[in-house]
Amino acid sequence: MKVLVAVKRVVDYNVKVRVKADQSGVDLTNVKMSMNPFCEIAVEEAVRLKEKGVATEVVAVSIGPKNAQEQLRTAMALGADRGILVETDEQLSSLAVAKILAKVAEEEQPQIILMGKQSIDTDNNQTTQMLAALAGFSQGAFAAGLVVEDGKATVEREIDGGMQTININLPAVISADLRLNEPRYAKLPDIMKAKKKPMDTKTPADYGVDTASKVKTLKVEPPAERSAGIKVGSVEELVDKLKNEAKVV
Amino acid sequence: MGILVIADHHNSDLTPVTANVVAAAKAIGGDIHLLVAGADCQAAAEAGAKLEGVSKVLVADNAVYANQLAENTAALVATLGKNYTHILTGATGNGKNFMPRIAALLDVEQISEIISVESADTFKRPIYAGNAIATVQSEDAIKVITVRGTSFDAVAATGSASIEAIAEVTDAGLSSFVSEELAASDRPELTAAKVVVSGGRGVGSAEKFDIIYKLADKLGGAVGATRAAVDAGYVPNDLQVGQTGKIVAPELYIAAGISGAIQHLAGMKDSKVIVAINKDEEAPIFQVADYGLVADLFDAVPALEQQL
Ligand SMILES: Cc1cc2nc3c(=O)[nH]c(=O)nc-3n(C[C@H](O)[C@H](O)[C@H](O)COP(=O)(O)OP(=O)(O)OC[C@H]3O[C@@H](n4cnc5c(N)ncnc54)[C@H](O)[C@@H]3O)c2cc1C
Ligand SMILES: Cc1cc2nc3c(=O)[nH]c(=O)nc-3n(C[C@H](O)[C@H](O)[C@H](O)COP(=O)(O)OP(=O)(O)OC[C@H]3O[C@@H](n4cnc5c(N)ncnc54)[C@H](O)[C@@H]3O)c2cc1C
């Protein structure tokens, strides 16, 4: 079976972003960009499915600027067989991304689509579930374990009070939580090989998707800063402050 | 036209966040209906009927909704929801699972995890792990929204709404429930607790986490942890606080052996009072702490427990 894996180019998780003075967004000039950490986990899972003989081909897809090629090359260095870049300089809504991915899925006919559970820039946590709805597929969101057998997937999911296990029909869209696996590092020869793997470039228009958003960002502000408090010298002083100053105990 | 709030519940009771979501609905303004979709969920419906501001509780009581499988819940709400201007639920594990599916079925965008209501179509939400706050305005005919519970004060349980059963049953036939493993605990729920005591990698092992539990119990609080502590197997993963874990905002947050990575701060920096105990005086956690104690946590935490 074919596995499709969606990867997003985002600000590296180590970067502390700053809001622009004109409140139009965050300043992304000269900021390090990487593959969304949850997408790395999704790629790893897809590659493991191939290594186990469950998947026959792993196709990585990204929707974003030209430079998102870098993240697709990373996915290929990790083991994806080919890449599809849907090029756009617009910042798309999750719904638009899901609509494009639904069209890619229609074309590629994967049995499993792996994605990250949320992207660390917009923190939306929506695209997987939206894509599943649009494609009419089942969903396994926040997966911490995945077993594919007999045309079905058993997904262990992280839920608020613990873990849930569900059985879902294929085709399915599955989103990776942090503990699904530990992604490998790409080795130099694999990085070299990845450069020769095929990559298609398309646009949202090729798929006939209208990407106009009904949600406008009016402004982006820094959060209320917490001012650093004081250092206390001892447990006794801490207890005294908590009782008499903060009055929380 | 009005607002549909989807209850977060365990069939036999409502989870506290539902009262916070109703508060967000009240801030938007309009007639508020509460949907309880579950199985044998009459008790949750009755608790919902008491929430101030709710005029009617809709109960979809059927085995297909027992485990809140996203496919079935979404199919139900995508039909029901067409009669409302806003559909709200908590940004909980369940809400995050079914809500975007509802939005896509209604062909509208979702606004995730709002922290304030500016007007009926304008909301604030954190992005980049809380390092920026975006104000967004939606022109969608139906606004599908998840709400960060800790940002809204819960409504009182003094109301008396009517309860109405919904006959419609949709089984999408795409998924089935196998099992659930819930951590049994007598401690308050992490996201609703007044006090949270969290431990990080500095605690060192599952056994040594005992001192964190003891301090939490002394204070009647919940226990939290960093991702590093969870990954190392010191505590179960549902205790993770942060960007990708739970968001907490208790009266008192005590962080022991936690460095203060931005992903962790994203989950706790709205706490009223933050105490940090760390042996490294340069640890970034001290930049957000009201009271910082540079000390070995194995001395300080037990001493704190004794002196409180
Ligand atoms: C400050 C700011 C303002 C913005 N304002 C607007 C605006 O006004 N209008 C607007 O339309 N958009 C806007 N955006 C962009 C938009 O919110 C996101 O880019 C979009 O929502 C897609 O990512 P997500 O966070 O929804 O993904 P999530 O649902 O959080 O991501 C889950 C998974 O989906 C997959 N995925 C998501 N996006 C892609 C992708 N591009 N390619 C491949 N896979 C993907 C990945 O597997 C990812 O791990 C803004 C973004 C920022 C930071
Ligand atoms: C995509 C992504 C999402 C993430 N999401 C989250 C999230 O939701 N929540 C989260 O917490 N993290 C998250 N992380 C991880 C985060 O980046 C940090 O790695 C993590 O929070 C660090 O945990 P820590 O503070 O316990 O460990 P460390 O950073 O190792 O800090 C341990 C601290 O303990 C102190 N210490 C050690 N021994 C003692 C002692 N005896 N007494 C006192 N102090 C002591 C040390 O000085 C140190 O400051 C995420 C990371 C990524 C990439």
Short mmCIF file of all heavy atoms in Angstrom, two decimals, chain A residues 38 99 121-124 126 129 137 139 160-161 163-165 167 169 179 213-214 216 218-219 221 226 229-230 232 236 245, chain B residues 71 96-97 101 107 109-110 112 125 128-129 133 135 137 139 174 176 178-179 181 240 243 246 269 271 289-292:
data_model
loop_
_atom_site.label_atom_id
_atom_site.label_comp_id
_atom_site.label_asym_id
_atom_site.label_seq_id
_atom_site.Cartn_x
_atom_site.Cartn_y
_atom_site.Cartn_z
N PHE A 38 6.54 17.34 14.85
CA PHE A 38 5.55 16.26 14.79
C PHE A 38 5.54 15.60 13.41
O PHE A 38 5.21 14.42 13.30
CB PHE A 38 4.16 16.79 15.13
CG PHE A 38 4.00 17.15 16.57
CD1 PHE A 38 4.16 18.45 17.00
CD2 PHE A 38 3.72 16.18 17.51
CE1 PHE A 38 4.04 18.79 18.33
CE2 PHE A 38 3.60 16.50 18.85
CZ PHE A 38 3.76 17.81 19.26
N LYS A 99 -7.96 20.79 2.15
CA LYS A 99 -8.61 20.63 0.83
C LYS A 99 -7.58 20.23 -0.22
O LYS A 99 -7.85 19.37 -1.07
CB LYS A 99 -9.30 21.93 0.41
CG LYS A 99 -10.63 22.15 1.13
CD LYS A 99 -11.32 23.44 0.69
CE LYS A 99 -12.65 23.58 1.40
NZ LYS A 99 -13.28 24.89 1.16
N ASP A 121 3.94 26.34 14.90
CA ASP A 121 3.81 27.79 14.68
C ASP A 121 2.38 28.25 14.98
O ASP A 121 2.14 29.06 15.87
CB ASP A 121 4.26 28.20 13.27
CG ASP A 121 3.64 27.37 12.16
OD1 ASP A 121 2.88 26.43 12.46
OD2 ASP A 121 3.93 27.66 10.99
N THR A 122 1.43 27.69 14.25
CA THR A 122 0.05 28.12 14.46
C THR A 122 -0.66 27.35 15.56
O THR A 122 -1.73 27.74 16.00
CB THR A 122 -0.75 27.97 13.16
OG1 THR A 122 -0.48 26.69 12.62
CG2 THR A 122 -0.36 29.03 12.16
N ASP A 123 -0.07 26.22 15.98
CA ASP A 123 -0.66 25.43 17.06
C ASP A 123 -2.14 25.12 16.82
O ASP A 123 -2.93 25.08 17.76
CB ASP A 123 -0.51 26.15 18.42
CG ASP A 123 0.92 26.06 18.94
OD1 ASP A 123 1.63 25.11 18.56
OD2 ASP A 123 1.32 26.94 19.72
N ASN A 124 -2.52 24.93 15.57
CA ASN A 124 -3.94 24.75 15.28
C ASN A 124 -4.49 23.37 15.65
O ASN A 124 -5.59 23.27 16.17
CB ASN A 124 -4.21 24.96 13.78
CG ASN A 124 -4.50 26.39 13.45
OD1 ASN A 124 -4.92 27.16 14.31
ND2 ASN A 124 -4.29 26.77 12.21
N GLN A 126 -5.56 20.91 13.59
CA GLN A 126 -6.82 20.78 12.86
C GLN A 126 -6.69 19.97 11.58
O GLN A 126 -7.64 19.30 11.17
CB GLN A 126 -7.31 22.16 12.40
CG GLN A 126 -7.53 23.16 13.48
CD GLN A 126 -7.90 24.52 12.93
OE1 GLN A 126 -7.95 24.72 11.72
NE2 GLN A 126 -8.15 25.46 13.82
N GLN A 129 -7.71 16.15 11.14
CA GLN A 129 -9.12 15.84 11.34
C GLN A 129 -9.95 16.40 10.17
O GLN A 129 -10.93 15.78 9.74
CB GLN A 129 -9.60 16.44 12.67
CG GLN A 129 -8.85 15.94 13.91
CD GLN A 129 -7.61 16.76 14.22
OE1 GLN A 129 -6.82 17.12 13.34
NE2 GLN A 129 -7.43 17.08 15.49
N PHE A 137 -12.53 9.71 5.24
CA PHE A 137 -11.73 8.64 5.84
C PHE A 137 -11.95 8.61 7.35
O PHE A 137 -12.42 9.58 7.94
CB PHE A 137 -10.23 8.88 5.59
CG PHE A 137 -9.80 8.76 4.14
CD1 PHE A 137 -8.47 9.00 3.79
CD2 PHE A 137 -10.69 8.41 3.14
CE1 PHE A 137 -8.04 8.91 2.46
CE2 PHE A 137 -10.28 8.31 1.81
CZ PHE A 137 -8.94 8.56 1.48
N GLN A 139 -10.31 8.55 11.20
CA GLN A 139 -9.18 9.30 11.73
C GLN A 139 -8.63 8.69 13.01
O GLN A 139 -9.38 8.18 13.83
CB GLN A 139 -9.57 10.77 11.97
CG GLN A 139 -10.49 11.02 13.14
CD GLN A 139 -10.91 12.48 13.22
OE1 GLN A 139 -11.44 13.07 12.26
NE2 GLN A 139 -10.68 13.11 14.37
N ASP A 160 -7.17 12.65 27.43
CA ASP A 160 -6.90 13.44 28.63
C ASP A 160 -6.54 12.62 29.86
O ASP A 160 -5.61 12.94 30.56
CB ASP A 160 -8.09 14.34 28.93
CG ASP A 160 -8.12 15.52 27.97
OD1 ASP A 160 -7.09 15.76 27.33
OD2 ASP A 160 -9.16 16.19 27.87
N GLY A 161 -7.28 11.54 30.12
CA GLY A 161 -7.01 10.81 31.35
C GLY A 161 -6.08 9.63 31.18
O GLY A 161 -5.83 8.89 32.12
N MET A 163 -4.93 6.60 28.00
CA MET A 163 -4.80 6.12 26.63
C MET A 163 -6.08 5.44 26.17
O MET A 163 -6.76 4.81 26.95
CB MET A 163 -3.70 5.05 26.56
CG MET A 163 -2.34 5.57 26.79
SD MET A 163 -1.82 6.58 25.41
CE MET A 163 -0.48 5.63 24.91
N GLN A 164 -6.35 5.57 24.87
CA GLN A 164 -7.50 4.91 24.28
C GLN A 164 -7.01 4.10 23.08
O GLN A 164 -6.13 4.55 22.36
CB GLN A 164 -8.49 5.97 23.80
CG GLN A 164 -9.78 5.41 23.24
CD GLN A 164 -10.65 6.50 22.62
OE1 GLN A 164 -10.24 7.17 21.69
NE2 GLN A 164 -11.84 6.67 23.17
N THR A 165 -7.59 2.94 22.88
CA THR A 165 -7.25 2.16 21.69
C THR A 165 -8.49 2.05 20.81
O THR A 165 -9.58 1.72 21.30
CB THR A 165 -6.74 0.76 22.07
OG1 THR A 165 -5.68 0.90 23.00
CG2 THR A 165 -6.25 0.01 20.85
N ASN A 167 -10.02 0.95 16.68
CA ASN A 167 -9.78 0.19 15.48
C ASN A 167 -10.41 0.98 14.34
O ASN A 167 -11.60 1.29 14.42
CB ASN A 167 -10.50 -1.14 15.66
CG ASN A 167 -9.79 -2.24 14.94
OD1 ASN A 167 -9.54 -2.11 13.74
ND2 ASN A 167 -9.45 -3.29 15.66
N ASN A 169 -11.00 1.76 10.03
CA ASN A 169 -10.94 1.25 8.65
C ASN A 169 -9.88 2.01 7.86
O ASN A 169 -9.59 3.17 8.15
CB ASN A 169 -12.28 1.48 7.95
CG ASN A 169 -13.39 0.64 8.53
OD1 ASN A 169 -13.15 -0.18 9.43
ND2 ASN A 169 -14.59 0.83 8.01
N ARG A 179 5.00 10.68 21.35
CA ARG A 179 5.59 9.42 21.78
C ARG A 179 5.34 8.27 20.81
O ARG A 179 5.50 7.11 21.18
CB ARG A 179 5.10 9.10 23.19
CG ARG A 179 5.85 9.90 24.24
CD ARG A 179 5.19 9.89 25.57
NE ARG A 179 4.09 10.85 25.60
CZ ARG A 179 4.22 12.12 25.96
NH1 ARG A 179 5.38 12.58 26.32
NH2 ARG A 179 3.19 12.93 25.95
N SER A 213 -9.25 32.73 2.61
CA SER A 213 -9.62 32.43 3.99
C SER A 213 -10.69 33.40 4.47
O SER A 213 -10.68 34.58 4.11
CB SER A 213 -8.40 32.54 4.88
OG SER A 213 -8.79 32.48 6.23
N LYS A 214 -11.61 32.89 5.28
CA LYS A 214 -12.64 33.74 5.87
C LYS A 214 -12.22 34.24 7.25
O LYS A 214 -12.97 34.93 7.91
CB LYS A 214 -13.95 32.95 5.98
CG LYS A 214 -14.60 32.66 4.62
CD LYS A 214 -16.09 32.99 4.70
CE LYS A 214 -16.74 33.14 3.36
NZ LYS A 214 -16.89 31.85 2.66
N LYS A 216 -9.53 36.43 9.23
CA LYS A 216 -8.48 37.43 9.07
C LYS A 216 -7.74 37.61 10.39
O LYS A 216 -8.36 37.65 11.45
CB LYS A 216 -9.11 38.78 8.71
CG LYS A 216 -9.31 39.00 7.22
CD LYS A 216 -9.39 40.50 6.95
CE LYS A 216 -10.77 41.06 6.74
NZ LYS A 216 -11.91 40.42 6.29
N LEU A 218 -6.24 40.18 12.59
CA LEU A 218 -6.29 41.63 12.72
C LEU A 218 -4.97 42.16 13.27
O LEU A 218 -4.47 43.17 12.84
CB LEU A 218 -7.45 42.06 13.62
CG LEU A 218 -8.85 41.59 13.18
CD1 LEU A 218 -9.90 42.10 14.16
CD2 LEU A 218 -9.18 42.06 11.77
N LYS A 219 -4.45 41.46 14.27
CA LYS A 219 -3.14 41.86 14.79
C LYS A 219 -2.51 40.72 15.56
O LYS A 219 -3.19 39.79 15.98
CB LYS A 219 -3.26 43.11 15.67
CG LYS A 219 -4.11 42.92 16.88
CD LYS A 219 -4.15 44.19 17.73
CE LYS A 219 -5.19 44.01 18.84
NZ LYS A 219 -5.44 45.19 19.63
N GLU A 221 0.17 40.28 18.79
CA GLU A 221 0.85 41.02 19.85
C GLU A 221 1.70 40.08 20.69
O GLU A 221 1.41 38.89 20.76
CB GLU A 221 -0.18 41.64 20.81
CG GLU A 221 -1.15 42.60 20.19
CD GLU A 221 -2.39 42.76 21.07
OE1 GLU A 221 -3.21 41.83 21.12
OE2 GLU A 221 -2.49 43.79 21.73
N ARG A 226 5.50 38.21 32.03
CA ARG A 226 5.54 37.98 33.47
C ARG A 226 6.82 38.58 33.95
O ARG A 226 7.89 38.28 33.41
CB ARG A 226 5.61 36.49 33.72
CG ARG A 226 4.36 35.84 34.16
CD ARG A 226 4.68 34.51 34.78
NE ARG A 226 4.40 34.54 36.20
CZ ARG A 226 3.24 34.24 36.71
NH1 ARG A 226 2.24 33.89 35.95
NH2 ARG A 226 3.03 34.30 38.02
N GLY A 229 10.13 37.47 39.56
CA GLY A 229 9.88 37.85 40.95
C GLY A 229 11.18 37.94 41.72
O GLY A 229 12.16 38.47 41.22
N ILE A 230 11.17 37.37 42.88
CA ILE A 230 12.35 37.48 43.74
C ILE A 230 12.91 36.09 44.01
O ILE A 230 12.25 35.08 43.82
CB ILE A 230 12.00 38.14 45.08
CG1 ILE A 230 10.87 37.35 45.77
CG2 ILE A 230 11.59 39.59 44.88
CD1 ILE A 230 10.76 37.66 47.25
N VAL A 232 14.16 33.69 46.96
CA VAL A 232 14.10 33.56 48.41
C VAL A 232 15.32 32.76 48.86
O VAL A 232 15.86 31.96 48.10
CB VAL A 232 12.79 32.87 48.87
CG1 VAL A 232 11.60 33.77 48.64
CG2 VAL A 232 12.59 31.52 48.17
N GLU A 236 12.04 28.31 54.65
CA GLU A 236 11.27 29.07 55.65
C GLU A 236 10.75 30.37 55.05
O GLU A 236 9.59 30.73 55.21
CB GLU A 236 12.13 29.41 56.88
CG GLU A 236 12.48 28.23 57.77
CD GLU A 236 13.52 27.30 57.13
OE1 GLU A 236 14.27 27.73 56.22
OE2 GLU A 236 13.57 26.12 57.53
N GLU A 245 2.34 36.82 51.90
CA GLU A 245 2.40 37.79 50.81
C GLU A 245 1.46 37.36 49.68
O GLU A 245 0.52 38.06 49.32
CB GLU A 245 3.84 37.91 50.29
CG GLU A 245 4.07 39.10 49.38
CD GLU A 245 5.54 39.19 48.99
OE1 GLU A 245 5.93 38.53 48.00
OE2 GLU A 245 6.29 39.92 49.67
N GLU B 71 -15.72 10.32 14.28
CA GLU B 71 -16.53 10.18 13.07
C GLU B 71 -18.02 10.31 13.39
O GLU B 71 -18.76 10.96 12.65
CB GLU B 71 -16.25 8.83 12.39
CG GLU B 71 -14.82 8.67 11.86
CD GLU B 71 -13.82 8.21 12.92
OE1 GLU B 71 -14.20 8.13 14.12
OE2 GLU B 71 -12.66 7.93 12.57
N LYS B 96 -10.45 18.54 20.68
CA LYS B 96 -9.45 18.70 19.62
C LYS B 96 -9.60 17.60 18.57
O LYS B 96 -9.23 17.77 17.43
CB LYS B 96 -8.04 18.64 20.20
CG LYS B 96 -7.67 19.86 21.02
CD LYS B 96 -6.30 19.65 21.65
CE LYS B 96 -5.88 20.85 22.47
NZ LYS B 96 -4.64 20.58 23.20
N ASN B 97 -10.15 16.47 19.00
CA ASN B 97 -10.29 15.34 18.09
C ASN B 97 -11.49 15.52 17.14
O ASN B 97 -11.35 15.39 15.93
CB ASN B 97 -10.44 14.06 18.91
CG ASN B 97 -10.42 12.81 18.07
OD1 ASN B 97 -9.77 12.75 17.03
ND2 ASN B 97 -11.15 11.80 18.50
N ARG B 101 -13.10 18.14 12.56
CA ARG B 101 -13.86 17.30 11.64
C ARG B 101 -15.25 17.91 11.40
O ARG B 101 -15.74 17.93 10.28
CB ARG B 101 -13.98 15.88 12.22
CG ARG B 101 -14.48 14.88 11.21
CD ARG B 101 -14.30 13.43 11.65
NE ARG B 101 -14.85 12.56 10.63
CZ ARG B 101 -14.15 11.74 9.85
NH1 ARG B 101 -12.86 11.61 10.01
NH2 ARG B 101 -14.75 11.02 8.91
N ASP B 107 -17.75 23.03 6.09
CA ASP B 107 -16.95 23.85 5.19
C ASP B 107 -16.63 25.23 5.77
O ASP B 107 -16.73 26.26 5.12
CB ASP B 107 -17.64 24.00 3.82
CG ASP B 107 -16.68 24.55 2.76
OD1 ASP B 107 -15.45 24.36 2.94
OD2 ASP B 107 -17.14 25.17 1.78
N GLU B 109 -13.74 27.31 8.64
CA GLU B 109 -12.48 27.17 9.35
C GLU B 109 -12.76 27.02 10.84
O GLU B 109 -13.84 27.34 11.31
CB GLU B 109 -11.60 28.41 9.07
CG GLU B 109 -11.10 28.40 7.64
CD GLU B 109 -10.41 29.70 7.24
OE1 GLU B 109 -9.57 30.18 8.00
OE2 GLU B 109 -10.72 30.21 6.15
N GLN B 110 -11.77 26.52 11.55
CA GLN B 110 -11.92 26.44 13.00
C GLN B 110 -11.00 27.45 13.65
O GLN B 110 -9.87 27.65 13.20
CB GLN B 110 -11.56 25.04 13.50
CG GLN B 110 -11.49 24.98 15.03
CD GLN B 110 -11.19 23.60 15.56
OE1 GLN B 110 -11.92 22.66 15.35
NE2 GLN B 110 -10.08 23.47 16.27
N SER B 112 -8.94 27.85 16.87
CA SER B 112 -8.49 26.95 17.93
C SER B 112 -8.14 27.70 19.20
O SER B 112 -7.49 28.74 19.16
CB SER B 112 -7.26 26.16 17.49
OG SER B 112 -7.56 25.28 16.44
N ARG B 125 -6.24 34.35 20.30
CA ARG B 125 -5.71 33.00 20.52
C ARG B 125 -4.19 33.02 20.48
O ARG B 125 -3.57 33.79 19.75
CB ARG B 125 -6.26 32.03 19.46
CG ARG B 125 -5.96 32.40 18.02
CD ARG B 125 -6.44 31.31 17.08
NE ARG B 125 -5.87 30.03 17.45
CZ ARG B 125 -4.79 29.49 16.87
NH1 ARG B 125 -4.20 30.09 15.85
NH2 ARG B 125 -4.32 28.34 17.28
N TYR B 128 2.53 30.18 18.27
CA TYR B 128 3.94 30.00 18.60
C TYR B 128 4.14 29.73 20.10
O TYR B 128 4.85 30.44 20.79
CB TYR B 128 4.76 31.21 18.17
CG TYR B 128 4.85 31.37 16.68
CD1 TYR B 128 3.98 32.20 15.99
CD2 TYR B 128 5.80 30.66 15.95
CE1 TYR B 128 4.04 32.32 14.61
CE2 TYR B 128 5.87 30.78 14.57
CZ TYR B 128 5.00 31.61 13.91
OH TYR B 128 5.07 31.73 12.55
N ALA B 129 3.47 28.70 20.58
CA ALA B 129 3.62 28.29 21.98
C ALA B 129 3.38 29.45 22.94
O ALA B 129 4.02 29.56 23.98
CB ALA B 129 4.99 27.67 22.23
N ILE B 133 0.21 36.53 20.55
CA ILE B 133 -1.24 36.41 20.69
C ILE B 133 -1.87 37.03 19.44
O ILE B 133 -1.65 38.21 19.16
CB ILE B 133 -1.76 37.16 21.93
CG1 ILE B 133 -0.99 36.76 23.20
CG2 ILE B 133 -3.27 36.97 22.10
CD1 ILE B 133 -1.20 35.34 23.65
N THR B 135 -5.12 38.27 17.20
CA THR B 135 -6.54 38.63 17.24
C THR B 135 -7.10 38.28 15.88
O THR B 135 -6.63 38.80 14.86
CB THR B 135 -6.72 40.13 17.52
OG1 THR B 135 -6.02 40.44 18.73
CG2 THR B 135 -8.19 40.49 17.68
N GLN B 137 -10.50 37.54 13.19
CA GLN B 137 -11.91 37.84 12.93
C GLN B 137 -12.42 36.86 11.89
O GLN B 137 -11.79 36.67 10.85
CB GLN B 137 -12.04 39.26 12.42
CG GLN B 137 -13.48 39.69 12.19
CD GLN B 137 -13.55 41.15 11.78
OE1 GLN B 137 -12.69 41.63 11.05
NE2 GLN B 137 -14.57 41.84 12.26
N GLU B 139 -15.36 35.52 9.22
CA GLU B 139 -16.56 35.85 8.44
C GLU B 139 -17.37 34.61 8.12
O GLU B 139 -18.33 34.66 7.37
CB GLU B 139 -16.15 36.52 7.12
CG GLU B 139 -15.66 37.93 7.29
CD GLU B 139 -15.00 38.44 6.01
OE1 GLU B 139 -15.14 37.80 4.95
OE2 GLU B 139 -14.32 39.48 6.10
N LEU B 174 -16.95 3.81 10.53
CA LEU B 174 -15.55 3.89 10.12
C LEU B 174 -14.59 3.43 11.21
O LEU B 174 -13.45 3.10 10.95
CB LEU B 174 -15.20 5.33 9.74
CG LEU B 174 -15.81 5.87 8.44
CD1 LEU B 174 -15.55 7.37 8.32
CD2 LEU B 174 -15.22 5.15 7.24
N SER B 176 -14.13 1.82 15.51
CA SER B 176 -14.74 1.21 16.68
C SER B 176 -13.80 1.30 17.87
O SER B 176 -12.57 1.35 17.72
CB SER B 176 -15.10 -0.24 16.40
OG SER B 176 -13.95 -0.95 16.01
N VAL B 178 -11.89 0.05 21.14
CA VAL B 178 -11.34 -1.22 21.61
C VAL B 178 -11.20 -1.20 23.13
O VAL B 178 -11.78 -2.02 23.83
CB VAL B 178 -9.96 -1.53 20.95
CG1 VAL B 178 -9.39 -2.82 21.51
CG2 VAL B 178 -10.11 -1.62 19.44
N SER B 179 -10.45 -0.25 23.65
CA SER B 179 -10.25 -0.22 25.10
C SER B 179 -9.73 1.14 25.53
O SER B 179 -9.33 1.96 24.71
CB SER B 179 -9.24 -1.29 25.52
OG SER B 179 -7.99 -1.00 24.93
N GLU B 181 -7.44 3.00 28.88
CA GLU B 181 -6.71 2.83 30.13
C GLU B 181 -6.63 4.18 30.78
O GLU B 181 -5.92 5.06 30.32
CB GLU B 181 -5.28 2.39 29.82
CG GLU B 181 -4.97 0.95 30.13
CD GLU B 181 -3.56 0.65 29.72
OE1 GLU B 181 -2.63 1.07 30.44
OE2 GLU B 181 -3.39 0.04 28.65
N GLN B 240 1.71 15.51 31.41
CA GLN B 240 2.57 16.50 30.75
C GLN B 240 1.91 17.87 30.63
O GLN B 240 0.80 18.01 30.12
CB GLN B 240 2.96 16.02 29.36
CG GLN B 240 3.89 17.00 28.65
CD GLN B 240 4.34 16.48 27.30
OE1 GLN B 240 4.68 15.32 27.17
NE2 GLN B 240 4.34 17.35 26.31
N GLN B 243 3.09 23.08 25.75
CA GLN B 243 2.55 23.37 24.43
C GLN B 243 1.79 22.18 23.86
O GLN B 243 0.75 22.32 23.24
CB GLN B 243 3.69 23.73 23.47
CG GLN B 243 3.24 24.10 22.07
CD GLN B 243 4.42 24.38 21.12
OE1 GLN B 243 5.55 24.03 21.41
NE2 GLN B 243 4.14 25.03 20.02
N LYS B 246 -0.94 19.50 28.67
CA LYS B 246 -2.08 20.21 29.24
C LYS B 246 -1.72 21.67 29.52
O LYS B 246 -0.57 21.99 29.81
CB LYS B 246 -2.48 19.54 30.55
CG LYS B 246 -2.84 18.08 30.36
CD LYS B 246 -4.28 17.81 30.68
CE LYS B 246 -4.76 16.50 30.09
NZ LYS B 246 -4.03 15.33 30.58
N LYS B 269 2.43 29.39 32.20
CA LYS B 269 2.84 30.75 32.58
C LYS B 269 1.68 31.67 32.93
O LYS B 269 1.89 32.78 33.39
CB LYS B 269 3.78 31.36 31.55
CG LYS B 269 3.18 31.69 30.23
CD LYS B 269 4.26 32.24 29.31
CE LYS B 269 3.69 32.38 27.93
NZ LYS B 269 4.69 32.70 26.93
N SER B 271 -0.31 30.84 35.33
CA SER B 271 -0.58 30.53 36.73
C SER B 271 -0.47 31.81 37.56
O SER B 271 0.31 32.70 37.22
CB SER B 271 0.42 29.50 37.27
OG SER B 271 0.44 28.36 36.45
N ALA B 289 9.29 33.01 37.48
CA ALA B 289 8.85 32.62 38.82
C ALA B 289 8.65 33.84 39.73
O ALA B 289 9.45 34.77 39.70
CB ALA B 289 9.87 31.68 39.45
N ASP B 290 7.59 33.84 40.51
CA ASP B 290 7.39 34.89 41.50
C ASP B 290 8.35 34.69 42.66
O ASP B 290 8.89 35.63 43.21
CB ASP B 290 5.95 34.85 42.01
CG ASP B 290 4.96 35.10 40.90
OD1 ASP B 290 4.79 36.26 40.54
OD2 ASP B 290 4.40 34.11 40.38
N TYR B 291 8.52 33.39 43.02
CA TYR B 291 9.45 33.06 44.10
C TYR B 291 10.38 31.97 43.61
O TYR B 291 9.94 30.88 43.26
CB TYR B 291 8.69 32.58 45.34
CG TYR B 291 7.68 33.60 45.84
CD1 TYR B 291 6.31 33.35 45.76
CD2 TYR B 291 8.10 34.82 46.38
CE1 TYR B 291 5.38 34.28 46.20
CE2 TYR B 291 7.19 35.76 46.82
CZ TYR B 291 5.84 35.50 46.72
OH TYR B 291 4.93 36.42 47.16
N GLY B 292 11.63 32.29 43.56
CA GLY B 292 12.62 31.31 43.12
C GLY B 292 13.47 30.86 44.30
O GLY B 292 13.86 31.67 45.14
#
